[in-house]
Amino acid sequence: MNAHPAMFEWPADARDLLPLALWDAAGVAAATGGVASCDFECSGVEIDSRDVREGDLFFALKGESTDGHRFLDAAFANGAVAAVVDRPIDRPHVLVEDTMQALEALGAAARNRADAVVIGVTGSVGKTGVKEALFAALDRSSRGYAHRSVKSYNNHVGVPLSLARMPARTIYGIFEMGMNHAGEIAALTRQVRPNVAVITTIAPAHIEMLGSEEAIADAKAEIFEGLEAGGTAIIPADSPHFGRLRDAALKSGAKVISFGRAANADVRLLDMVVASSGGSLVTADLGDRRVCYTVSAAGDHWVLNSLAVMAAVRAAGGDLGAAGLALAEMGGLAGRGERLDIPTPDGGHALLIDESYNANPASMRATLAQLGQTPAKRRIAVLGAMKELGDFSPAFHAALAEPIAAAELDHMILVGDEMEALAGELGKAEGGTLGNGLTFAHCGNCDEAIAALSAYGLKDGDAVLVKGSNSVGLARLVARLSAEES
């Protein structure tokens, strides 16, 4: 029997004609205006010699305190195939006038060559988690042709680096953008040039530099300035700054899609039920359809994050079913909600919730509420100071007494000078305890916190939340607790 000829025809895709290598010498030289010393092909781009892998192109960037040219030997020893430098070397290289400008130029070239739908994500809280969820959803539906910025590479170096790493065959690109001063997002979004721009939420993070939440909203709304023609803005309907964000998006010519609980939200939460696993079962109205899915990450804030993810996936032309599966399978990120089972001295096990990477008033309230809903024999929180709050710092720290009381915690360890205001609030009750039996200790640094937690003693069935601004260093406490993870 003869098979039909169509059975042997593979669907044509123009991307199949694109090179497999990330970059070659000619492409790097053309993009950067540099001169290549020889032919080469690379599979990655790196700026830290310690992270170089076999096949990477190393950019020798100059910083305020160091010069990447000092680490060329280490980069090549780790497998770099070539380096971008501002002075000739006796190894494969591309010679340019300024290595930082060359990195930006290579990122721009990557953005220009990729026929991809690009999503930009910013917000005061949740941008890294939403970025990772979008990647998981779109990578699944595109069968591996999604790309995103890794870790929290969201600044003036991380964004062009992430762009330069985007393969030519990419179908979806997801990029995180951060800031702590006005004008920073504007510069980044013009490099990313998103087709879809997402703002997760507005909260008083970096308020020390910006002065008010309204100024923070304006700074985040700069992401719309880089939107490609016909682009879509995804904004939080529940935010008190919704109108401000909507007006900024419309001014940029964007189609606006809102998400949240509000009755006017385009992607609206209809119902959520806390799952036995700690996540949530969500029902959402997308206007022309309803969708039901599971969010594995715990907390009300992740329910709202999931709505932003669904809105962005749909705006990007992705698969909502794949997005639902990705949200159901996505675990917590290290430092951003990862849940670890750790042994206790009495031979049992405790739950460790790792939120050690970042903290601001909104995320503190959300994670304390999450801890209060977590089944446990005792609930313990190790809270580090919230940075970059300026003159608002004492009031924001003291205000945490309210969500702490609502969470019905058993013990608190407060870390950092800024926590003195909260310690004062908690200490107003006689003997340093509140009506529900909460006890607390105030420590100056992470080492003292480690000692205080050891003295308190973890027991089987405890749940421990560790959260603070990254500079407080509570990741070391998490590492200490999880070193013996079973």
Side-chain angles (χ1 to χ4, degrees):
M1 181 174 112
N2 293 328
H4 192 281
M7 294 179 64
F8 299 100
E9 295 177 4
W10 190 260
D13 189 334
R15 287 181 173 84
D16 294 337
L17 301 177
L18 297 172
L20 290 173
L22 180 62
W23 293 103
D24 60 21
V28 175
T32 62
V35 178
S37 66
C38 62
D39 290 334
F40 63 81
E41 291 185 339
C42 69
S43 55
V45 178
E46 187 53 72
I47 60 173
D48 190 328
S49 62
R50 297 166 296 184
D51 295 332
V52 168
R53 296 181 180 180
E54 195 74 32
D56 279 351
L57 173 67
F58 176 67
F59 272 76
L61 301 183
K62 291 181 179 179
E64 294 181 1
S65 59
T66 189
D67 185 344
H69 293 82
R70 293 171 48 199
F71 305 100
L72 286 167
D73 287 343
F76 280 101
N78 285 339
V81 296
V84 177
V85 294
D86 63 12
R87 66 205 68 164
I89 59 174
D90 60 358
R91 287 172 169 155
H93 66 275
V94 176
L95 182 63
V96 300
E97 290 187 7
D98 184 298
T99 53
M100 185 62 225
Q101 291 179 6
L103 180 61
E104 293 174 352
L106 193 63
R111 176 65 181 91
N112 288 334
R113 73 177 179 178
D115 183 21
V117 177
V118 173
I119 303 173
V121 182
T122 193
S124 300
V125 185
K127 54 185 175 292
T128 299
V130 167
K131 178 256 298 179
E132 291 294 327
L134 283 169
F135 171 75
L138 296 170
D139 198 53
R140 179 189 290 267
S141 63
S142 65
R143 300 186 179 183
Y145 283 102
H147 170 78
R148 94 293 205 183
S149 49
V150 299
K151 301 179 183 177
S152 291
Y153 284 4
N154 61 20
N155 63 6
H156 69 286
V157 176
V159 167
L161 174 62
S162 299
L163 284 166
R165 290 171 168 174
M166 183 164 60
R169 299 185 177 207
T170 299
I171 295 176
Y172 298 105
I174 308 99
F175 299 91
E176 178 181 340
M177 286 172 264
M179 63 90 203
N180 52 27
H181 290 85
E184 291 178 336
I185 294 289
L188 299 177
T189 191
R190 291 190 177 98
Q191 296 179 58
V192 173
R193 291 168 33 222
N195 304 102
V196 180
V198 181
I199 294 181
T200 58
T201 190
I202 302 297
H206 312 302
I207 197 169
E208 178 182 16
M209 288 76 172
L210 292 160
S212 69
E213 279 199 18
E214 289 78 11
I216 293 170
D218 290 341
K220 296 296 184 183
E222 291 172 11
I223 193 173
F224 305 137
E225 296 176 15
L227 270 172
E228 293 285 87
T232 301
I234 312 291
I235 60 176
D238 303 326
S239 172
H241 309 290
F242 168 75
R244 201 178 194 96
L245 298 175
R246 179 198 57 209
D247 291 347
L250 292 174
K251 183 179 178 181
S252 297
K255 173 185 177 183
V256 176
I257 297 177
S258 60
F259 67 91
R261 288 188 169 87
N264 63 329
D266 298 303
V267 177
R268 183 166 63 95
L269 178 66
L270 295 178
D271 188 37
M272 63 83 65
V273 178
V274 177
S276 58
S277 61
S280 304
L281 305 176
V282 177
T283 303
D285 183 358
L286 275 62
D288 61 344
R289 72 184 68 179
R290 292 184 176 185
V291 293
C292 300
Y293 55 91
T294 299
V295 180
S296 63
D300 183 69
H301 57 297
W302 255 110
V303 172
L304 295 177
N305 284 348
S306 77
L307 301 178
V309 170
M310 286 294 183
V313 166
R314 194 175 199 195
D319 186 321
L320 293 176
L325 291 173
L327 288 165
E329 295 176 358
M330 184 177 172
L333 306 174
R336 302 176 183 275
E338 185 176 20
R339 293 189 163 209
L340 303 169
D341 182 63
I342 60 172
T344 54
D346 60 3
H349 292 85
L351 170 66
L352 172 62
I353 305 172
D354 177 15
E355 287 272 2
S356 60
Y357 186 81
N358 202 1
N360 60 51
S363 65
M364 277 288 198
R365 285 178 173 271
T367 50
L368 284 167
Q370 174 190 336
L371 178 61
Q373 296 171 2
T374 300
K377 293 180 180 178
R378 300 187 304 177
R379 298 184 183 91
I380 303 158
V382 181
L383 300 185
M386 301 179 290
K387 301 294 186 177
E388 298 184 1
L389 295 177
D391 294 340
F392 301 91
S393 182
F396 278 126
H397 282 87
L400 293 178
E402 178 188 346
I404 287 170
E408 299 184 349
L409 307 186
D410 295 279
H411 188 64
M412 299 278 304
I413 296 176
L414 311 178
V415 189
D417 294 341
E418 295 91 338
M419 279 292 176
E420 184 177 351
L422 176 57
E425 285 295 310
L426 299 181
K428 288 178 180 178
E430 183 178 356
T433 64
L434 298 183
N436 62 359
L438 170 70
T439 59
F440 74 93
H442 184 200
C443 302
N445 54 50
C446 182
D447 290 332
E448 293 179 13
I450 291 172
L453 187 59
S454 177
Y456 181 72
L458 294 182
K459 297 181 180 180
D460 181 46
D462 285 347
V464 186
L465 167 67
V466 179
K467 185 169 181 64
S469 290
N470 191 39
S471 60
V472 179
L474 293 182
R476 289 198 295 112
L477 185 149
V478 172
R480 176 73 66 90
L481 292 176
S482 59
E484 301 178 2
E485 181 184 349
S486 59

